[in-house]
Structures are given as C-alpha cells and as structure tokens.
Amino acid sequence: MKQVNEELRESLVELQVQLEQERTWRKEGDLLLEGVTRLAIARDSETVYAVLVDVLGPLLGFDVAALFLADDNALVSMAAEEHSLAGVRLSIDSALRRVLLGKSVAVFDTSKQPAWAAQSSTLLDRVRSALHIPIFAGESVAVLICVHSEKGFFSARHTRIAQRIMPMVSAALLSIQGFQLRLKSEQQNQAAAAVATHRDLLERALGSVGAGVGYVTSADLVPLGRTLHEILADWKTPDAWWLHYRNHLHPGHTVLINDTSPTGNRFTHEATLMDTTGDDQLLLIADVTRWVLAEQALQDMNAELIVARDAALSANRAKSNFLANMSHELRTPLNAIMGYTDLLTEDAQARKETETLSYLEQVLQAATQLLSLIDDVLDLSRIDAEPINMHMGWIDLDNLLEDIHVTITPAIEQHGNTLRITCKISRNKIWANKDRLQQVLLNLLSNAAKFTTSGFIEIYVGLCHTDDGREQFSFEVRDTGVGIPADRLEDIFQPFSQVDTSNTRRYGGTGLGLTISRSYCELMGGSLEVTSTVNVGSIFTVLLPATCPSNDNENKERREH
C-alpha cells in the first residue's frame, strides 16, 4: 500500500507540473488570442497602441510603451502611454538599424545606447532599459518600444515573446491600411483583397498559439493556412466540421464543443465566431482536448489518492487498535503470573528452597521482559492510533539525571561497563515531559549497555545551536560498543527493525525502542539523531528546545516553581 501511495504521489506531482506548464501556455495563448480579436477591428494606430498596452502588458511586464514610425534617419513617437514619451525622436544608430531589419532588440542600459543617451536626463531616469519590437506593414515600418525603470529588466524570454507579437501587430496595421483604403473607395472589395494579401501573417499569429482561423463565406468555411486543417484532421474537410456544428455557434460568443470525431476520437474544441466589416464571418478554433484531459486526469488521480489514503489510514488505525487491545489483554494474565510468582518466591525464600527460588526468579525475569515488550507495543500503537498530548513543563535536571543513574546502573554493570554523567550547562531547568524524556534516555542507555562489553557509557549534557541561532539542549548517550554500519543508521528507527536479524536472538528486543524514542522526541519539539562507527561505538543525541515555546507558559511555569 505504501509503494502504491508513493507511485500515486509521484504521478500526481508529474501531472501537476505538466498541467501548470499547460496552464501557463494556455494563459499566454489566451492573451494573444484576445489581442488578435481586438486588433481585427482596430481602425487607427492609436487603437492598436491601446490594445497592445492592455493585452501585452501582462506578457512583457513593461512600465510604459510607445509606438514609433521610421521617418528618414529617426524613429518618431506617434502614440504614447504618457506625455513624457510623446514626441520623442530617436536617431537611428547601429542597434536601431538591426531593429529595422526585423530583429527584436533589448537594451540593457539606455544610458549606454547612443539613441537613448541623447535624450533628457529626466527621461533617462524613468527609462533604464528598453525592448524594441519591429512591426512591418507593407512598405511602412513601425517599432513598438517597451521601457522599464529597472536596468536589465528585459531578458531573452521577453525577446522570444516579442518575436511572436510581430506578425500579430503587423496584421493589425495592415488591416488599418486596408480599412483606410476601403474608406476611399470600394470598401468591401478592398478589405477582402487586404485580408487575402496578408493571410500568411494572420495564420502565423494565430498558429503560434495553437488556434486555427478561417472565413465563413456564403455558408462555407474557408481555412486560412494549414493550422485549421491540422486541428480538424479527423474530418474529411474543415467544411464538414462547420456544417455539423454551425448551429452551436453564435457571433461574438465562445463555445466549448465536447464530442467524438468521425474517427472515434474524443475531442474538445473552443470555437469563436466573429462578425467582420463585410458579409463574411471569422471563425477561430482551438483544440483544448489535452488540457481538458489533463484536468480530468488530475481530478481522477486526486480521487484515487484520497481513496488510497483513507484505506491506508483505516488499515493503520485498525492495526493500532488491534495492538492496543491485544496489549491490554496480554497484560492482565501476565500481571497475574508475576503476582503469583512473587508470592511463591517469598514462600521459597522462607523455606530456603534454593533450586525452586532460582526457577521462580527466571520466571519473574522472563515475565518482566515480556511486560516491557508489551509496553513498547502499546506505546507504538498509541502513537500510531491518535495524537498524544504531551504535558510539558520545567523539570529539574539534577533530579532527572539522579533517577536515571539509580535505575540504569545495574544494567550497565551487568556487562562490566562503566557509566559517566557529564553536565556542561549551568541552568537546572529543562522544558520537557519528564516521564517521556526519562523513558527515552533509559532506552538509549539500555541499548548502549546491551551492545557494549567492558567499555564506557556516558551521558553528556550540553547546549548547541540550530542553523537559525536558536539554543537547544543536547543529551548525548555515548558508548564504546559494536557500532552500526553507516548504511543502516536510518533503518534502526523503523518499527520492528534490527541492524542484524541475528541480534534478536543474541541481544533480544523487538526493534521498537528507537522508533518510540524518536517519536517522543519529535512530540516534545525536538529530534533524535545518531552517528556511529563499527567496532568503535555510537552516539545517540536527543535535541530539545532550550526555551518554552510560549512566553506565557514559561512565566506561568516559573511562578509555579
């Protein structure tokens, strides 16, 4: 189940990244399509400029933009967003000559570029970087100049976007020229001629964002360029698509069409029908199938992940509840065994039955070990089943270390080891849960005693600092035992895990002590770490916050003490 969840999460992350990229492309495409729609009805250069500022502003992020026309040896502003750029005249230098040859040019620092350096200091204070975008309309050349107050603002990404903008704006200016010609004579005929002449520009502008365009003439659909043919490849002709779905379309509205193509493929098309100045209509079609499928796949993946998560949580709760119930059930007869064994031991001592007393002591020792194992299983089931409320408070360090010393000394000396306690801090109060911290330290010392023979075991208490400068209490349990291989250091914190399966028979234990100890450290706001070298020894470090998380709680506890 865990592996399935991991695979589901990895698939979900990959799908989310892909979907986010698709959404970014879609957003950029929508902005460009909006620009095409609005520029199609533009009738003068000022309108073109206003559309560019509204539509292209979010794409390029410029502060101010101005439209310039090439006039002899200079570029002259013909439409500007604010008066400071109105009437600006830029002498054509080497950089601007490259712009007039069709290349978008970004200026890192305008004060270093001759054409801009010649402008007033007031203007240069507001124009630190610039992006020059060439626009061609027949024999006329215009330049859209976007400026920003930050030096080096425009990057290669902005230049690439500019290259996509060029055909769209060029088509708009050509449309203006056609409109002006229609005003002079034969309006509809000359408009049709202008569209036919510059069909390739319009196709490039829309094809770059994955949309096909065509004209509806006398109830027939006439594609402009190859993009519409590619989108409607499952139909014999684009006109067949139009005849089937034309009743779903209304001028000025965008419609989402979900259906199955003649070849049996599911598709989703976003279609927009627009009126033009003549009798014809303009039809824009974008294939958004993959975006819709990606959204659906994400929803399905989320639903599947939720089901898998709920199933895993339910199974985990059932397991934890079972362990908790079994632990309680086992403790009841075990307590009875230990109670009767104590009574029999007292009777054997009174009768001085040495052999019987030896047997009873072995029974009591085995029962005590079994009770300890049951307690570990019960602790683990509690941690898994539900959150544990740690009752934190200020505890006396000296008393804690004294209690630990008295409790653990017999186990330390059993294997000929020596225990040392070193305290390198002046303060005597620690913010923790006394019972849980004592349980953690006794478990670490017990492990050290178990895996060390005729060596040294030490508790070293000191202060250390986190990466962000916060103080922490550090309890290091050091031993000179068998050590742990580097590739197994994290495995020892997994439930029921042992470094070597043979250790279970040799040293005993269930492999739960370190799992529970790390969980208790984390519940107290700290951590449990380990470093070790085989045949040299190990160092288990308990790190706990040196200050109370809440000043109010800290003051309250200090008053009580």
Side-chain angles (χ1 to χ4, degrees):
M1 179 65 72
K2 182 178 180 181
Q3 182 178 1
V4 172
N5 288 342
E6 289 298 328
E7 292 176 354
L8 286 173
R9 290 191 184 95
E10 290 174 0
S11 300
L12 181 60
V13 171
E14 181 179 352
L15 186 59
Q16 287 175 329
V17 171
Q18 181 181 358
L19 185 59
E20 189 62 30
Q21 189 176 43
E22 293 282 354
R23 286 173 175 166
T24 301
W25 293 340
R26 177 72 183 280
K27 181 179 180 181
E28 183 177 316
D30 287 344
L31 287 171
L32 292 176
L33 280 174
E34 179 185 356
V36 170
T37 303
R38 295 176 60 183
L39 289 172
I41 59 175
R43 295 296 173 259
D44 52 61
S45 58
E46 286 76 15
T47 303
V48 171
Y49 170 75
V51 172
L52 290 178
V53 171
D54 292 342
V55 176
L56 304 182
L59 288 175
L60 298 180
F62 51 78
D63 288 339
V64 182
L67 200 59
F68 287 70
L69 282 180
D71 181 18
D72 295 331
N73 294 323
L75 293 180
V76 181
S77 171
M78 69 174 185
E81 187 177 355
E82 62 179 57
H83 63 83
S84 62
L85 291 179
V88 171
R89 185 181 182 89
L90 300 175
S91 300
I92 298 177
D93 55 15
S94 58
L96 292 180
R97 286 194 185 92
R98 284 189 291 143
V99 176
L100 296 178
L101 291 175
K103 181 176 179 60
S104 295
V105 174
V107 176
F108 182 89
D109 184 358
T110 53
S111 65
K112 306 297 184 183
Q113 201 259 350
W116 283 100
Q119 305 302 313
S120 66
S121 58
T122 302
L123 180 61
L124 289 179
D125 287 339
R126 305 184 64 181
V127 180
R128 304 301 302 275
S129 59
L131 176 64
H132 304 75
I133 306 172
I135 302 169
F136 297 90
E139 297 179 356
S140 301
V141 180
V143 178
L144 177 66
I145 300 180
C146 308
V147 300
H148 199 276
S149 60
E150 180 182 338
K151 185 189 299 184
F153 174 81
F154 296 104
S155 63
R157 183 182 70 85
H158 296 94
T159 305
R160 287 194 297 271
I161 294 176
Q163 292 298 123
R164 298 179 66 186
I165 293 171
M166 289 168 52
M168 182 175 68
V169 181
S170 297
L173 293 178
L174 288 168
S175 178
I176 292 173
Q177 291 181 354
F179 176 73
Q180 292 173 343
L181 290 173
R182 289 197 300 273
L183 291 179
K184 294 180 180 179
S185 62
E186 300 180 3
Q187 295 182 356
Q188 293 183 359
N189 291 336
Q190 292 196 20
V195 170
T197 302
H198 305 293
R199 177 177 300 176
D200 183 59
L201 281 175
L202 186 59
E203 162 67 10
R204 284 171 55 196
L206 291 173
S208 66
V209 294
V213 60
Y215 270 95
V216 179
T217 305
S218 300
D220 295 326
L221 177 60
V222 180
L224 296 183
R226 65 180 182 278
T227 307
L228 195 60
H229 286 284
E230 295 172 355
I231 293 175
L232 305 180
D234 285 357
W235 284 262
K236 291 183 179 180
T237 62
D239 203 42
W241 184 96
W242 164 251
L243 292 175
H244 190 76
Y245 295 108
R246 62 181 179 180
N247 292 332
H248 296 75
L249 306 176
H250 303 283
H253 293 83
T254 298
V255 178
L256 210 61
I257 300 176
N258 296 285
D259 206 348
T260 303
S261 71
T263 59
N265 296 322
R266 292 293 302 178
F267 71 90
T268 303
H269 288 165
E270 193 174 77
T272 304
L273 187 64
M274 296 180 294
D275 288 327
T276 65
T277 54
D279 295 331
D280 301 336
Q281 292 177 310
L282 186 68
L283 178 64
L284 301 178
I285 300 177
D287 188 350
V288 295
T289 305
R290 60 177 181 175
W291 294 322
V292 173
L293 292 177
E295 291 279 4
Q296 185 60 48
L298 180 60
Q299 293 176 7
D300 294 342
M301 185 70 71
N302 277 330
E304 187 176 351
L305 189 59
I306 290 172
V307 171
R309 180 204 64 190
D310 292 344
L313 291 175
S314 178
N316 191 58
R317 284 193 296 269
K319 177 207 69 176
S320 299
N321 290 332
F322 171 77
L323 289 175
N325 292 332
M326 287 301 299
S327 298
H328 282 295
E329 294 297 329
L330 290 172
R331 286 167 63 95
T332 300
L334 189 59
N335 286 328
I337 292 172
M338 296 177 67
Y340 284 118
T341 302
D342 279 334
L343 293 176
L344 293 173
T345 299
E346 292 177 0
D347 187 55
Q349 288 175 342
R351 296 180 180 182
K352 298 183 179 180
E353 298 176 351
T354 306
E355 185 176 1
T356 302
L357 186 62
S358 175
Y359 292 149
L360 291 173
E361 288 177 348
Q362 292 180 26
V363 172
L364 187 60
Q365 182 181 4
T368 302
Q369 291 176 348
L370 183 57
L371 183 61
S372 176
L373 297 179
I374 292 174
D375 286 339
D376 284 347
V377 173
L378 184 59
D379 284 343
L380 181 64
S381 64
R382 286 171 177 168
I383 293 172
D384 285 344
E386 58 186 10
I388 295 179
N389 184 18
M390 280 286 180
H391 298 288
M392 307 287 283
W394 291 105
I395 62 177
D396 188 279
L397 180 59
D398 291 338
N399 290 340
L400 174 69
L401 295 177
E402 179 63 25
D403 291 344
I404 291 174
H405 181 270
V406 172
T407 304
I408 201 63
T409 295
I412 297 289
E413 295 176 347
Q414 183 178 358
H415 293 88
N417 297 309
T418 301
L419 176 64
R420 292 184 303 201
I421 298 179
T422 304
C423 187
K424 291 293 186 179
I425 59 176
S426 57
R427 64 182 78 178
N428 193 37
K429 297 293 182 180
I430 298 176
W431 180 258
N433 181 293
K434 181 180 179 180
D435 293 337
R436 300 306 184 189
L437 179 56
Q438 183 170 327
Q439 181 179 348
V440 169
L441 294 176
L442 286 174
N443 180 66
L444 296 178
L445 288 166
S446 177
N447 282 348
K450 187 188 303 182
F451 294 101
T452 304
T453 302
S454 300
F456 292 96
I457 298 173
E458 180 182 16
I459 305 177
Y460 183 91
V461 185
L463 284 175
C464 63
H465 293 82
T466 62
D467 293 338
D468 56 4
R470 290 183 291 110
E471 278 190 332
Q472 286 185 311
F473 285 115
S474 173
F475 294 83
E476 295 184 1
V477 177
R478 305 171 178 176
D479 66 60
T480 57
V482 296
I484 305 169
D487 59 345
R488 298 302 306 277
L489 287 178
E490 282 303 314
D491 293 344
I492 62 176
F493 293 105
Q494 299 301 318
F496 308 104
S497 175
Q498 298 253 359
V499 173
D500 187 344
T501 54
S502 64
N503 288 341
T504 302
R505 285 193 291 271
R506 181 178 178 185
Y507 298 106
T510 60
L512 293 177
L514 291 177
T515 304
I516 295 170
S517 296
R518 172 171 276 189
S519 298
Y520 283 157
C521 289
E522 291 173 351
L523 288 171
M524 289 187 288
S527 62
L528 175 57
E529 302 172 354
V530 60
T531 59
S532 183
T533 304
V534 175
N535 297 325
V536 174
S538 304
I539 301 176
F540 284 84
T541 304
V542 175
L543 297 173
L544 295 176
T547 57
C548 174
S550 170
N551 291 332
D552 294 337
N553 291 339
E554 183 177 357
N555 294 334
K556 178 180 178 181
E557 292 294 333
R558 285 177 175 173
R559 287 195 298 270
E560 293 177 354
H561 287 77

